[in-house]
Amino acid sequence: MRSLGHQIVAEFYGCDKALLNDVAYIRNHMLEATIVTETFHHFSPHGVSGAVIIAESHLAIHTWPEYGYAAVDLFTCGDSVSAEIGFNHLREALGAGHVSTMEVHRGQIDMMSMGDQGQPAMKLVTSQTG
Amino acid sequence: MRSLGHQIVAEFYGCDKALLNDVAYIRNHMLEATIVTETFHHFSPHGVSGAVIIAESHLAIHTWPEYGYAAVDLFTCGDSVSAEIGFNHLREALGAGHVSTMEVHRGQIDMMSMGDQGQPAMKLVTSQTG
């Protein structure tokens, strides 16, 4: 299946709750990859939201320190690997005890060329780590 | 199903190709909602990537003008409606001829409280408009 984009939707459970509330820490670890632009915000009393645009990719996070949970999205195009490096780095940095991911193929070229524009195709990846 | 976040993954097909390459236009139409922070980038020779953080929500876009295609992600939490307003506004602004969406419930509270942390639950929405 040829597609323009490739997205990983990830649930990070069991993370370090203090780190999930530390915007500087999260920002630093999301900026390890080569960044084009970035935006981060720390909410009161707790929680961090942020996004980085990496070439034609993006990495976004929303944290709930009270649950030890972070919602992480990685969107990549073509050969971009720096975003995936950032994704894996972030997982380590937050000390996620359990991660589940879902992959979505975005912008399917075959569908577009056929004029048949359907739903986003999905592939479930059972990469759950304890 | 109680969840912390609610995500809409959308494929915008048949958009106006010139508008998909106009970073100022896209930025302006994504900033109609109440924005906390934002980041946008225009690629050479064509294509726009951008993200806005709206309270605990985000709206992100990647465009391929040559295909008339945009990948749009909307992540919302709780009662945030400004992000959805921005999403619908963007769809109109880009003149999308066909839109397909997928919904993902993120951070399921019931799973967390039971200690059973599974994959992200998904709900496919067949809202395809010609």
Side-chain angles (χ1 to χ4, degrees), chain B residues 88-102:
Chain B
N88 291 325
H89 181 78
L90 191 63
R91 172 182 172 163
E92 297 284 333
L94 294 176
H98 178 97
V99 172
S100 66
T101 59
M102 179 183 76

Side-chain angles (χ1 to χ4, degrees), chain B residues 12-63:
Chain B
F12 285 7
Y13 294 103
C15 299
D16 184 297
K17 295 184 179 184
L19 295 180
L20 287 183
N21 202 31
D22 187 336
V23 67
Y25 181 87
I26 291 174
R27 177 179 175 277
N28 287 341
H29 283 280
M30 285 177 70
L31 293 180
E32 297 258 329
T34 305
I35 303 302
V36 174
T37 54
E38 43 118 347
T39 177
F40 282 89
H41 189 70
H42 179 236
F43 294 99
S44 178
H46 45 60
V48 171
S49 286
V52 293
I53 300 291
I54 310 161
E56 287 161 320
S57 305
H58 82 251
L59 180 61
I61 190 169
H62 298 276
T63 77

